[in-house]
Amino acid sequence: MVIKKYAYNEIMRHTMWYKEAIIYQIYPRSFCDSNNDGIGDIKGIISKLDYLQELGVNAVWLSPIYDSPQEDNGYDISDYKKVYPPFGTLEDMKILIAEMHKRGIKLIMDLVVNHTSSEHQWFKEALLDPSSPYRDYYIIKKGRKNGKKPPNNWSGFFGEGAWERIPNSEDYYLHLFAKGQPDLNWENPKVREEVKDILRFWLEMGVDGFRCDVITLISKKQDFKNRFPTIALTGKDAYVMGPRIHEFLHELYEDVYTNYDAMTVGETVMSSLEEAKMLVDPKRQELDMIFNFDITDTDNIMGVKYLYRKFKLQRMKKVYRKWQKGLDEINGWNSLFLENHDQRRLPGRFNTNEKDLREVSMKMIASSYFLLKGTPFIYQGQEIGMTNAHFEKLEDYKDVEIHNIMNLRKHHPLVKMIVKEKVAYEVSRDNARTPMQWDDTEYAGFSKVEPWIKVNPNKEYINVKQSLESNDSIFHYYQDLINIKKNHPVIKDGEVIELFKNDNKVYAYERKNKDESIVVITSFSDKPIKRKALEEFKDNELLLCNYQEINDIISLRPYEARIYKK
Ligand code: TEU
Ligand code: CA
């Protein structure tokens, strides 16, 4: 059943429902384990849909549930049309989609097509037989010096080289991520047809869109020459925003998306605002929005998270200033996020507090991003202020990324000097992947058995049950933010006017259109501060505040957030 084909000018990129979306990201492995095997599953997600509806979200981004050997927890796919058995079955997916739609919740799938798993049938055939038609599904090049050296000096994202030698041959295959994640060759039209087939399979099942994993890496410069070595990635200019990226994205739009009211959000590692303007310009019909990492890179150096840099609010404000205005001229749309399955937890990050001021600072930083122009994302557990795990033993970390980096540290003194162990643990992606904390029972209500990764011990007092019972929990604050967004159209399409622009402790902005104006004021300071300018709002209606009541209009308490209707 193909939904009516929309002509582009008919309604400008479909209904654009994503502009009213509030999207909750679920990492299935860690969300809810319904059958007590220690691993989250689809039935577990189904059992929590009422919770999501109560929070008020109207869409879910589901991290990969496809069959996979799980070298990268599902971002290494061995069968795009099968569910990883411990997560469930296609039947479970059909029920999940129906149960979500019943509750007015749309489903966005994670599309991982820059690479497959090395366990994918295509790759197995490609290695088995050099003359197989699947050989050209991947990027396989002859090594230098009779195969003793890889084809060039490119490095990958997980601290390894980007080439793996094919046994008993002089050939290598490219993998920008783990060895078990061989890059697909998008130059091959057959690969692009395979991707379209995968998209149609899920769209026909009723999904509402895709989060496109590392989508700006799919086009590589075809000279495959050496590149100047850099600290983060060598070869970045050869495979980030490559020569045919726009053509490939537009082809997917033209051949698939245009037949469905589907939304796309591209994960665009290392893309600039100028590049983003081409990716999300509705007239170019490529992507609806992107995840850009300039905000989450404000506490590191050059986007290398192991190179910690003390956070300064002005740096974050500068990034918001750039992106909130930067897409206007092309009528583009932003995503808004502070956490995801690759980022450390928020408490204690960006000058916030993980201890006694955790709750008030989490409500503050939620206010700082949530009502900006764009689609806000909430990552599982962010709504209850879950924190980093602070595991002290490497064996408690499960992510391929940190094990690669710690292995590099062991063998390379330079890496050991640059990458501090404590920082590596603090920024490890595992911090976002400890089991969702539903209650204070032994395994946090995630499971009845020891989960695949340890539960954060602070489930004793940080959990959904406690949050639902407490009126001034972070959960209820997110509910209030979501209601403000839903009940005030100005948050969707109002102008963004920055206030307190030169203030190093306050981030504030006004959302304004001809009917109304909403002002958001957030203090990133852990101390009380006075701002005379706040006098201006003394007669305005206070829609939301993260403290009980306001005693002194010009005094902001630590991490105070206020939302006024002018
Ligand atoms: O992430 C791409 C990516 O850039 C991150 O891996 C980032 O480099 C790293 O997390 C920094 O710590 C996407 C997925 O979100 C990630 O989970 C996958 O591991 C990766 O692609 C490969 O599919
Ligand atoms: Ca399970």
Side-chain angles (χ1 to χ4, degrees):
M1 168 267 289
V2 174
I3 302 170
K4 167 178 177 305
K5 187 175 172 65
Y6 291 92
Y8 169 65
N9 49 22
E10 197 174 345
I11 50 169
M12 266 288 278
R13 190 70 176 88
H14 311 329
T15 60
M16 295 194 275
W17 55 265
Y18 54 86
K19 292 190 174 180
E20 272 98 17
I22 296 133
I23 303 178
Y24 188 90
Q25 182 194 353
I26 291 177
Y27 194 71
R29 200 179 179 81
S30 309
F31 191 65
C32 180
D33 171 19
S34 69
N35 63 341
N36 299 312
D37 62 357
I39 298 174
D41 46 58
I42 294 163
K43 286 198 171 83
I45 298 171
I46 293 169
S47 74
K48 298 296 181 183
L49 292 180
D50 288 342
Y51 166 73
L52 297 184
Q53 192 172 30
E54 186 176 354
L55 174 58
V57 297
N58 51 24
V60 161
W61 155 24
L62 180 59
S63 277
I65 44 84
Y66 319 97
D67 204 7
S68 155
Q70 301 287 310
E71 182 179 3
D72 186 14
N73 287 356
Y75 282 89
D76 52 318
I77 297 167
S78 53
D79 187 335
Y80 290 88
K81 297 180 182 174
K82 187 168 170 265
V83 174
Y84 172 55
F87 285 166
T89 65
L90 283 178
E91 208 38 51
D92 293 335
M93 279 306 294
K94 287 177 185 148
I95 295 166
L96 175 68
I97 293 165
E99 286 302 317
M100 280 184 168
H101 287 172
K102 226 188 267 176
R103 294 169 175 80
I105 298 174
K106 291 182 181 288
L107 177 59
I108 295 143
M109 297 290 276
D110 212 315
L111 181 72
V112 186
V113 288
N114 170 68
H115 48 269
T116 69
S117 158
S118 50
E119 296 298 304
H120 198 291
Q121 195 52 30
W122 300 338
F123 190 70
K124 286 180 179 170
E125 308 245 355
L127 256 51
L128 259 181
D129 168 10
S131 59
S132 151
Y134 293 106
R135 189 82 175 183
D136 196 31
Y137 273 40
Y138 295 90
I139 299 174
I140 295 175
K141 302 283 173 200
K142 189 167 277 310
R144 293 170 290 177
K145 301 214 182 313
N146 304 326
K148 289 193 185 57
K149 287 189 74 181
N152 62 31
N153 67 346
W154 294 3
S155 67
F157 286 78
F158 285 165
E160 297 176 303
W163 297 94
E164 182 66 11
R165 187 165 184 174
I166 296 171
N168 312 317
S169 87
E170 294 182 10
D171 294 335
Y172 287 71
Y173 68 84
L174 180 72
H175 63 88
L176 296 181
F177 291 92
K179 288 189 180 67
Q181 294 172 291
D183 280 56
L184 281 168
N185 170 25
W186 274 71
E187 300 294 319
N188 181 347
K190 290 200 196 90
V191 166
R192 302 201 297 272
E193 289 312 314
E194 296 280 8
V195 171
K196 294 173 199 170
D197 179 46
I198 293 162
L199 290 169
R200 288 189 195 98
F201 177 85
W202 287 102
L203 285 165
E204 285 301 308
M205 197 180 287
V207 306
D208 304 284
F210 297 93
R211 175 267 183 183
C212 309
D213 188 66
V214 293
I215 201 66
T216 45
L217 306 182
I218 60 176
S219 164
K220 277 83 172 173
K221 283 183 184 157
Q222 293 302 297
D223 64 13
F224 288 97
K225 279 209 175 66
N226 272 355
R227 289 301 195 284
F228 188 79
T230 56
I231 187 164
L233 283 175
T234 300
K236 175 172 158 291
D237 71 308
Y239 53 73
V240 177
M241 289 301 292
R244 298 181 68 186
I245 180 69
H246 298 294
E247 177 197 335
F248 291 161
L249 290 173
H250 183 67
E251 183 179 324
L252 296 184
Y253 178 93
E254 269 296 285
D255 292 0
V256 182
Y257 300 132
T258 191
N259 296 316
Y260 300 86
D261 191 8
M263 69 82 98
T264 50
V265 48
E267 185 203 26
T268 57
V269 282
M270 299 175 166
S271 69
S272 67
L273 174 62
E274 285 318 304
E275 290 162 339
K277 280 157 69 172
M278 290 180 71
L279 293 167
V280 299
D281 177 344
K283 293 189 295 305
R284 296 175 57 89
Q285 302 181 333
E286 294 181 13
L287 295 167
D288 292 314
M289 66 182 115
I290 60 160
F291 288 131
N292 171 273
F293 295 90
D294 287 1
I295 287 286
T296 47
D297 283 341
T298 50
D299 61 358
N300 67 45
I301 298 168
M302 292 190 293
V304 181
K305 65 182 187 182
Y306 302 105
L307 303 179
Y308 177 73
R309 175 169 50 154
K310 186 166 173 16
F311 174 75
K312 284 202 170 34
L313 178 61
Q314 277 298 2
R315 210 177 295 141
M316 180 179 266
K317 288 171 61 164
K318 197 159 157 254
V319 171
Y320 277 135
R321 202 171 295 143
K322 173 177 159 190
W323 285 88
Q324 283 291 300
K325 296 278 181 216
L327 301 175
D328 284 354
E329 65 179 272
I330 45 103
N331 198 18
W333 192 251
N334 265 307
S335 70
L336 305 164
F337 72 98
L338 294 173
E339 282 197 21
N340 66 30
H341 65 291
D342 292 332
Q343 296 290 328
R344 60 152 292 172
R345 287 289 184 176
L346 263 183
R349 192 179 188 188
F350 305 134
N351 283 4
T352 63
N353 180 281
E354 186 175 347
K355 305 275 182 252
D356 53 333
L357 294 172
R358 177 179 61 88
E359 290 195 288
V360 72
S361 67
M362 284 303 103
K363 294 174 189 173
M364 179 284 292
I365 201 163
S367 312
S368 75
Y369 87 104
F370 207 81
L371 300 178
L372 284 166
K373 187 169 186 177
T375 297
F377 286 73
I378 302 171
Y379 177 66
Q380 68 181 47
Q382 177 185 336
E383 79 279 13
I384 59 169
M386 278 177 66
T387 73
N388 268 9
H390 303 300
F391 295 147
E392 287 167 6
K393 294 199 297 276
L394 181 56
E395 71 206 42
D396 290 337
Y397 293 89
K398 308 298 177 191
D399 182 12
V400 57
E401 183 189 68
I402 186 160
H403 284 279
N404 281 358
I405 282 296
M406 299 310 274
N407 193 31
L408 267 183
R409 278 185 91 250
K410 222 156 58 183
H411 298 104
H412 298 275
L414 181 64
V415 175
K416 190 172 169 77
M417 193 174 71
I418 294 175
V419 179
K420 304 278 172 282
E421 181 177 84
K422 185 176 177 327
V423 172
Y425 287 176
E426 279 302 286
V427 300
S428 164
R429 304 190 300 179
D430 287 300
N431 287 298
R433 302 174 181 185
T434 59
M436 181 69 182
Q437 294 163 201
W438 297 102
D439 59 36
D440 61 1
T441 56
E442 187 176 6
Y443 302 116
F446 165 77
S447 180
K448 290 193 172 49
V449 300
E450 171 79 44
W452 66 279
I453 187 171
K454 277 186 179 164
V455 174
N456 190 322
N458 65 22
K459 48 95 181 171
E460 293 302 326
Y461 59 92
I462 299 178
N463 60 65
V464 166
K465 184 169 179 292
Q466 178 272 348
S467 301
L468 292 175
E469 287 161 0
S470 139
N471 282 337
D472 65 351
S473 63
I474 301 167
F475 173 90
H476 285 117
Y477 193 88
Y478 268 101
Q479 264 185 329
D480 295 338
L481 284 174
I482 289 169
N483 286 331
I484 290 174
K485 181 166 170 61
K486 284 179 175 173
N487 302 331
H488 295 272
V490 71
I491 302 299
K492 172 185 161 190
D493 49 27
E495 190 189 350
V496 185
I497 301 158
E498 187 177 356
L499 311 173
F500 294 82
K501 205 164 176 171
N502 301 321
D503 199 310
N504 295 333
K505 294 185 167 34
V506 174
Y507 179 48
Y509 52 88
E510 179 178 3
R511 301 300 316 271
K512 185 178 168 60
N513 63 17
K514 60 184 179 3
D515 308 323
E516 60 175 341
S517 157
I518 290 196
V519 171
V520 177
I521 294 157
T522 55
S523 166
F524 276 71
S525 170
D526 59 353
K527 306 264 184 315
I529 56 175
K530 280 191 183 308
R531 293 292 185 270
K532 272 203 72 43
L534 291 168
E535 190 80 40
E536 176 193 343
F537 307 109
K538 66 181 183 320
D539 301 328
N540 293 132
E541 181 192 350
L542 183 68
L543 292 179
L544 187 59
C545 179
N546 58 349
Y547 280 86
Q548 289 313 320
E549 70 288 310
I550 295 178
N551 313 320
D552 171 7
I553 187 82
I554 64 165
S555 298
L556 290 174
R557 287 152 290 190
Y559 300 115
E560 184 161 350
R562 295 181 190 165
I563 299 170
Y564 287 105
K565 180 168 170 25
K566 269 174 79 170

